[in-house]
Amino acid sequence: MMYALENDFLQVEVSGLGAELKSLKFKPDLKERMWSGDPIYWNKTSPLLFPIVGSLKQNEYKFKDKVYQLNRHGFAREMEFELVENNSTRLKFRLNSSEKTKNFYPFDFSLYVEYELNDAVLYCNYEVVNIGHDEMLFSIGAHPAFVVGNGTEASYNEYALHFNKDNKINCYKIYDGLIGEDYKEMVLKNNQLSLSYDLFYDDALVFKSLKSDLIILSNDGGQTGLKFEFKDFPYFGIWAAENANFVCLEPWCGIADSVNHNQELSEKEGINSLSPTETFERSWSVSLI
């Protein structure tokens, strides 16, 4: 089921499946800023990554001497959320643990996703609550895909990502979905990373030490794009499907398994720990320019 938000500046649509942001339009031009989900390239628009980010080695992890199967990016993006709040400026969704989720994730949780409009800014807030009696281990991340250009490679190449606090970044290499120990340094001229199709031919760009908490997507004239803000996400990914006219800006609290990981969930890089009754909160926002 689809749900809508609207104010004087923005029109937003969110699907109950995965609490996924499906549409974001700036009312002065009504131009769609979210990727269409064209299955020829990639059929998602903004999936929620929970309770893992990225891939596990052999799609498995170990917890308390038991082996669990869990596919890339976890299960939340494929599950129906319950709408628990709906007013003129806010949509709030909830996913609770169940017997089904216990088959591949042995923790009791409530996961809330909230979308809120404030003038020309859309906020997305995540809230993870441990409703069990034991320590909870998890990761969470965002994966929004924004339209770039008008459908041609030439227009795609006119765009760049501007980082507010980085002039060079270390990009970790990916091997069959797993994070390697080696990385390459990318020097950003004027804090800017130019977009091109071939930038993503070897998979996503993955960063572990990004200083920036604001990235601006804009074209050569600086007139078309958006501002993407995020705080307290220790990892970040940038990705696009091959030759597709979008870019994903992905703040993560968690990361794919390393190539040398022993598959123990408690020893996984970037894993978060939550005591009973505790709450974990993160948010990101997008404003249109």
mmCIF file of all heavy atoms in Angstrom, residues 205-235:
data_model
loop_
_atom_site.group_PDB
_atom_site.id
_atom_site.type_symbol
_atom_site.label_atom_id
_atom_site.label_comp_id
_atom_site.label_asym_id
_atom_site.label_seq_id
_atom_site.Cartn_x
_atom_site.Cartn_y
_atom_site.Cartn_z
ATOM 1 N N LEU A 205 31.345 2.168 -4.259
ATOM 2 C CA LEU A 205 32.452 2.823 -3.575
ATOM 3 C C LEU A 205 32.142 2.781 -2.082
ATOM 4 O O LEU A 205 31.076 3.227 -1.649
ATOM 5 C CB LEU A 205 32.595 4.270 -4.042
ATOM 6 C CG LEU A 205 32.642 4.509 -5.552
ATOM 7 C CD1 LEU A 205 32.810 6.004 -5.838
ATOM 8 C CD2 LEU A 205 33.747 3.706 -6.213
ATOM 9 N N VAL A 206 33.044 2.234 -1.301
ATOM 10 C CA VAL A 206 32.813 2.036 0.134
ATOM 11 C C VAL A 206 33.863 2.804 0.927
ATOM 12 O O VAL A 206 35.069 2.651 0.683
ATOM 13 C CB VAL A 206 32.862 0.538 0.500
ATOM 14 C CG1 VAL A 206 32.756 0.348 2.004
ATOM 15 C CG2 VAL A 206 31.731 -0.210 -0.208
ATOM 16 N N PHE A 207 33.392 3.607 1.875
ATOM 17 C CA PHE A 207 34.274 4.445 2.680
ATOM 18 C C PHE A 207 34.079 4.149 4.165
ATOM 19 O O PHE A 207 32.955 3.999 4.632
ATOM 20 C CB PHE A 207 33.994 5.925 2.416
ATOM 21 C CG PHE A 207 33.914 6.274 0.958
ATOM 22 C CD1 PHE A 207 32.723 6.686 0.387
ATOM 23 C CD2 PHE A 207 35.037 6.170 0.149
ATOM 24 C CE1 PHE A 207 32.650 6.997 -0.956
ATOM 25 C CE2 PHE A 207 34.977 6.486 -1.200
ATOM 26 C CZ PHE A 207 33.772 6.896 -1.760
ATOM 27 N N LYS A 208 35.194 4.108 4.891
ATOM 28 C CA LYS A 208 35.147 3.839 6.328
ATOM 29 C C LYS A 208 35.483 5.068 7.170
ATOM 30 O O LYS A 208 35.264 5.045 8.379
ATOM 31 C CB LYS A 208 36.128 2.721 6.688
ATOM 32 C CG LYS A 208 35.800 1.366 6.105
ATOM 33 C CD LYS A 208 36.777 0.324 6.636
ATOM 34 C CE LYS A 208 36.491 -1.053 6.093
ATOM 35 N NZ LYS A 208 37.398 -2.082 6.685
ATOM 36 N N SER A 209 36.029 6.076 6.579
ATOM 37 C CA SER A 209 36.522 7.206 7.377
ATOM 38 C C SER A 209 36.100 8.536 6.775
ATOM 39 O O SER A 209 36.872 9.498 6.804
ATOM 40 C CB SER A 209 38.046 7.137 7.490
ATOM 41 O OG SER A 209 38.651 7.074 6.205
ATOM 42 N N LEU A 210 34.900 8.589 6.256
ATOM 43 C CA LEU A 210 34.403 9.825 5.671
ATOM 44 C C LEU A 210 34.235 10.884 6.759
ATOM 45 O O LEU A 210 33.655 10.635 7.806
ATOM 46 C CB LEU A 210 33.061 9.555 4.990
ATOM 47 C CG LEU A 210 32.613 10.495 3.873
ATOM 48 C CD1 LEU A 210 33.572 10.420 2.683
ATOM 49 C CD2 LEU A 210 31.199 10.136 3.425
ATOM 50 N N LYS A 211 34.738 12.063 6.513
ATOM 51 C CA LYS A 211 34.567 13.167 7.453
ATOM 52 C C LYS A 211 33.285 13.952 7.177
ATOM 53 O O LYS A 211 32.704 14.541 8.079
ATOM 54 C CB LYS A 211 35.769 14.116 7.377
ATOM 55 C CG LYS A 211 37.095 13.479 7.743
ATOM 56 C CD LYS A 211 38.241 14.458 7.519
ATOM 57 C CE LYS A 211 39.589 13.820 7.793
ATOM 58 N NZ LYS A 211 40.710 14.747 7.487
ATOM 59 N N SER A 212 32.878 13.968 5.938
ATOM 60 C CA SER A 212 31.729 14.773 5.528
ATOM 61 C C SER A 212 30.432 14.257 6.152
ATOM 62 O O SER A 212 30.267 13.059 6.380
ATOM 63 C CB SER A 212 31.593 14.764 4.007
ATOM 64 O OG SER A 212 32.698 15.386 3.386
ATOM 65 N N ASP A 213 29.511 15.201 6.411
ATOM 66 C CA ASP A 213 28.162 14.849 6.821
ATOM 67 C C ASP A 213 27.130 15.553 5.930
ATOM 68 O O ASP A 213 25.942 15.575 6.243
ATOM 69 C CB ASP A 213 27.916 15.165 8.293
ATOM 70 C CG ASP A 213 28.263 16.594 8.655
ATOM 71 O OD1 ASP A 213 28.393 17.438 7.738
ATOM 72 O OD2 ASP A 213 28.413 16.889 9.850
ATOM 73 N N LEU A 214 27.609 16.116 4.822
ATOM 74 C CA LEU A 214 26.750 16.743 3.823
ATOM 75 C C LEU A 214 27.361 16.492 2.448
ATOM 76 O O LEU A 214 28.545 16.747 2.228
ATOM 77 C CB LEU A 214 26.638 18.251 4.066
ATOM 78 C CG LEU A 214 26.027 19.087 2.941
ATOM 79 C CD1 LEU A 214 24.572 18.714 2.710
ATOM 80 C CD2 LEU A 214 26.164 20.580 3.237
ATOM 81 N N ILE A 215 26.525 15.971 1.538
ATOM 82 C CA ILE A 215 26.935 15.768 0.152
ATOM 83 C C ILE A 215 25.910 16.457 -0.741
ATOM 84 O O ILE A 215 24.699 16.271 -0.564
ATOM 85 C CB ILE A 215 27.031 14.269 -0.195
ATOM 86 C CG1 ILE A 215 28.141 13.602 0.628
ATOM 87 C CG2 ILE A 215 27.299 14.078 -1.681
ATOM 88 C CD1 ILE A 215 28.239 12.106 0.428
ATOM 89 N N ILE A 216 26.391 17.248 -1.679
ATOM 90 C CA ILE A 216 25.512 17.936 -2.621
ATOM 91 C C ILE A 216 25.668 17.295 -3.994
ATOM 92 O O ILE A 216 26.783 17.150 -4.504
ATOM 93 C CB ILE A 216 25.846 19.428 -2.701
ATOM 94 C CG1 ILE A 216 25.600 20.107 -1.344
ATOM 95 C CG2 ILE A 216 25.001 20.110 -3.788
ATOM 96 C CD1 ILE A 216 26.007 21.567 -1.311
ATOM 97 N N LEU A 217 24.546 16.877 -4.557
ATOM 98 C CA LEU A 217 24.502 16.378 -5.926
ATOM 99 C C LEU A 217 24.039 17.508 -6.829
ATOM 100 O O LEU A 217 22.940 18.040 -6.636
ATOM 101 C CB LEU A 217 23.530 15.191 -6.023
ATOM 102 C CG LEU A 217 23.161 14.711 -7.426
ATOM 103 C CD1 LEU A 217 24.364 14.094 -8.120
ATOM 104 C CD2 LEU A 217 22.002 13.711 -7.369
ATOM 105 N N SER A 218 24.848 17.896 -7.805
ATOM 106 C CA SER A 218 24.445 18.979 -8.709
ATOM 107 C C SER A 218 25.154 18.825 -10.046
ATOM 108 O O SER A 218 26.159 18.119 -10.165
ATOM 109 C CB SER A 218 24.756 20.346 -8.099
ATOM 110 O OG SER A 218 26.149 20.520 -7.948
ATOM 111 N N ASN A 219 24.625 19.518 -11.053
ATOM 112 C CA ASN A 219 25.234 19.493 -12.374
ATOM 113 C C ASN A 219 26.239 20.620 -12.512
ATOM 114 O O ASN A 219 26.517 21.350 -11.552
ATOM 115 C CB ASN A 219 24.165 19.542 -13.462
ATOM 116 C CG ASN A 219 23.338 20.818 -13.421
ATOM 117 O OD1 ASN A 219 23.641 21.755 -12.682
ATOM 118 N ND2 ASN A 219 22.291 20.861 -14.232
ATOM 119 N N ASP A 220 26.795 20.762 -13.711
ATOM 120 C CA ASP A 220 27.866 21.741 -13.911
ATOM 121 C C ASP A 220 27.424 23.154 -13.557
ATOM 122 O O ASP A 220 28.208 23.956 -13.061
ATOM 123 C CB ASP A 220 28.344 21.712 -15.372
ATOM 124 C CG ASP A 220 29.110 20.440 -15.699
ATOM 125 O OD1 ASP A 220 29.561 19.771 -14.744
ATOM 126 O OD2 ASP A 220 29.243 20.118 -16.879
ATOM 127 N N GLY A 221 26.152 23.449 -13.784
ATOM 128 C CA GLY A 221 25.664 24.783 -13.470
ATOM 129 C C GLY A 221 25.286 24.968 -12.024
ATOM 130 O O GLY A 221 25.010 26.088 -11.583
ATOM 131 N N GLY A 222 25.269 23.860 -11.256
ATOM 132 C CA GLY A 222 24.923 23.931 -9.845
ATOM 133 C C GLY A 222 23.470 24.250 -9.570
ATOM 134 O O GLY A 222 23.113 24.630 -8.456
ATOM 135 N N GLN A 223 22.616 24.069 -10.577
ATOM 136 C CA GLN A 223 21.230 24.485 -10.432
ATOM 137 C C GLN A 223 20.264 23.325 -10.192
ATOM 138 O O GLN A 223 19.156 23.534 -9.731
ATOM 139 C CB GLN A 223 20.784 25.249 -11.689
ATOM 140 C CG GLN A 223 21.601 26.508 -11.949
ATOM 141 C CD GLN A 223 21.533 27.494 -10.810
ATOM 142 O OE1 GLN A 223 20.455 27.767 -10.290
ATOM 143 N NE2 GLN A 223 22.670 28.023 -10.401
ATOM 144 N N THR A 224 20.663 22.100 -10.526
ATOM 145 C CA THR A 224 19.760 20.956 -10.433
ATOM 146 C C THR A 224 20.373 19.897 -9.536
ATOM 147 O O THR A 224 21.467 19.409 -9.805
ATOM 148 C CB THR A 224 19.497 20.353 -11.826
ATOM 149 O OG1 THR A 224 18.968 21.363 -12.673
ATOM 150 C CG2 THR A 224 18.500 19.215 -11.742
ATOM 151 N N GLY A 225 19.690 19.541 -8.481
ATOM 152 C CA GLY A 225 20.223 18.513 -7.624
ATOM 153 C C GLY A 225 19.603 18.532 -6.255
ATOM 154 O O GLY A 225 18.449 18.918 -6.076
ATOM 155 N N LEU A 226 20.409 18.123 -5.270
ATOM 156 C CA LEU A 226 19.891 17.997 -3.915
ATOM 157 C C LEU A 226 21.029 18.037 -2.906
ATOM 158 O O LEU A 226 22.197 17.834 -3.239
ATOM 159 C CB LEU A 226 19.087 16.707 -3.772
ATOM 160 C CG LEU A 226 19.758 15.394 -4.185
ATOM 161 C CD1 LEU A 226 20.567 14.780 -3.039
ATOM 162 C CD2 LEU A 226 18.725 14.395 -4.669
ATOM 163 N N LYS A 227 20.633 18.301 -1.664
ATOM 164 C CA LYS A 227 21.554 18.250 -0.535
ATOM 165 C C LYS A 227 21.171 17.054 0.334
ATOM 166 O O LYS A 227 20.013 16.912 0.720
ATOM 167 C CB LYS A 227 21.468 19.533 0.288
ATOM 168 C CG LYS A 227 21.905 20.784 -0.444
ATOM 169 C CD LYS A 227 21.780 22.010 0.450
ATOM 170 C CE LYS A 227 22.201 23.276 -0.279
ATOM 171 N NZ LYS A 227 22.061 24.478 0.601
ATOM 172 N N PHE A 228 22.151 16.224 0.642
ATOM 173 C CA PHE A 228 21.927 15.009 1.426
ATOM 174 C C PHE A 228 22.758 15.116 2.704
ATOM 175 O O PHE A 228 23.983 15.197 2.651
ATOM 176 C CB PHE A 228 22.355 13.788 0.611
ATOM 177 C CG PHE A 228 22.003 12.474 1.237
ATOM 178 C CD1 PHE A 228 20.718 11.958 1.158
ATOM 179 C CD2 PHE A 228 22.968 11.741 1.908
ATOM 180 C CE1 PHE A 228 20.402 10.743 1.736
ATOM 181 C CE2 PHE A 228 22.670 10.522 2.486
ATOM 182 C CZ PHE A 228 21.379 10.021 2.403
ATOM 183 N N GLU A 229 22.081 15.127 3.850
ATOM 184 C CA GLU A 229 22.762 15.275 5.138
ATOM 185 C C GLU A 229 22.579 14.028 6.000
ATOM 186 O O GLU A 229 21.512 13.409 5.990
ATOM 187 C CB GLU A 229 22.230 16.502 5.886
ATOM 188 C CG GLU A 229 22.530 17.812 5.189
ATOM 189 C CD GLU A 229 22.213 19.021 6.048
ATOM 190 O OE1 GLU A 229 22.874 19.175 7.104
ATOM 191 O OE2 GLU A 229 21.324 19.801 5.674
ATOM 192 N N PHE A 230 23.618 13.691 6.773
ATOM 193 C CA PHE A 230 23.616 12.486 7.599
ATOM 194 C C PHE A 230 24.618 12.693 8.726
ATOM 195 O O PHE A 230 25.634 13.349 8.545
ATOM 196 C CB PHE A 230 23.992 11.265 6.751
ATOM 197 C CG PHE A 230 25.262 11.462 5.962
ATOM 198 C CD1 PHE A 230 26.484 11.004 6.434
ATOM 199 C CD2 PHE A 230 25.241 12.150 4.750
ATOM 200 C CE1 PHE A 230 27.656 11.203 5.718
ATOM 201 C CE2 PHE A 230 26.406 12.366 4.018
ATOM 202 C CZ PHE A 230 27.613 11.889 4.505
ATOM 203 N N LYS A 231 24.334 12.146 9.881
ATOM 204 C CA LYS A 231 25.239 12.284 11.026
ATOM 205 C C LYS A 231 25.359 10.949 11.750
ATOM 206 O O LYS A 231 24.394 10.186 11.841
ATOM 207 C CB LYS A 231 24.734 13.362 11.997
ATOM 208 C CG LYS A 231 24.770 14.779 11.422
ATOM 209 C CD LYS A 231 24.376 15.819 12.469
ATOM 210 C CE LYS A 231 24.313 17.217 11.865
ATOM 211 N NZ LYS A 231 25.634 17.656 11.362
ATOM 212 N N ASP A 232 26.566 10.702 12.265
ATOM 213 C CA ASP A 232 26.831 9.530 13.110
ATOM 214 C C ASP A 232 26.632 8.221 12.378
ATOM 215 O O ASP A 232 26.208 7.218 12.980
ATOM 216 C CB ASP A 232 25.973 9.581 14.381
ATOM 217 C CG ASP A 232 26.256 10.805 15.231
ATOM 218 O OD1 ASP A 232 27.436 11.196 15.317
ATOM 219 O OD2 ASP A 232 25.308 11.376 15.791
ATOM 220 N N PHE A 233 26.941 8.199 11.098
ATOM 221 C CA PHE A 233 27.014 6.959 10.327
ATOM 222 C C PHE A 233 28.490 6.715 10.015
ATOM 223 O O PHE A 233 29.086 7.457 9.232
ATOM 224 C CB PHE A 233 26.225 7.074 9.023
ATOM 225 C CG PHE A 233 24.730 7.108 9.190
ATOM 226 C CD1 PHE A 233 24.071 8.318 9.361
ATOM 227 C CD2 PHE A 233 23.983 5.939 9.151
ATOM 228 C CE1 PHE A 233 22.692 8.365 9.488
ATOM 229 C CE2 PHE A 233 22.595 5.972 9.286
ATOM 230 C CZ PHE A 233 21.950 7.186 9.455
ATOM 231 N N PRO A 234 29.117 5.719 10.615
ATOM 232 C CA PRO A 234 30.566 5.550 10.453
ATOM 233 C C PRO A 234 31.007 5.024 9.091
ATOM 234 O O PRO A 234 32.188 5.069 8.777
ATOM 235 C CB PRO A 234 30.925 4.553 11.558
ATOM 236 C CG PRO A 234 29.658 3.816 11.834
ATOM 237 C CD PRO A 234 28.549 4.788 11.600
ATOM 238 N N TYR A 235 30.063 4.517 8.300
ATOM 239 C CA TYR A 235 30.404 3.992 6.978
ATOM 240 C C TYR A 235 29.497 4.640 5.936
ATOM 241 O O TYR A 235 28.395 5.097 6.241
ATOM 242 C CB TYR A 235 30.227 2.468 6.930
ATOM 243 C CG TYR A 235 30.996 1.736 8.000
ATOM 244 C CD1 TYR A 235 30.374 1.359 9.190
ATOM 245 C CD2 TYR A 235 32.344 1.418 7.828
ATOM 246 C CE1 TYR A 235 31.077 0.684 10.179
ATOM 247 C CE2 TYR A 235 33.051 0.740 8.813
ATOM 248 C CZ TYR A 235 32.413 0.382 9.993
ATOM 249 O OH TYR A 235 33.111 -0.274 10.962
#
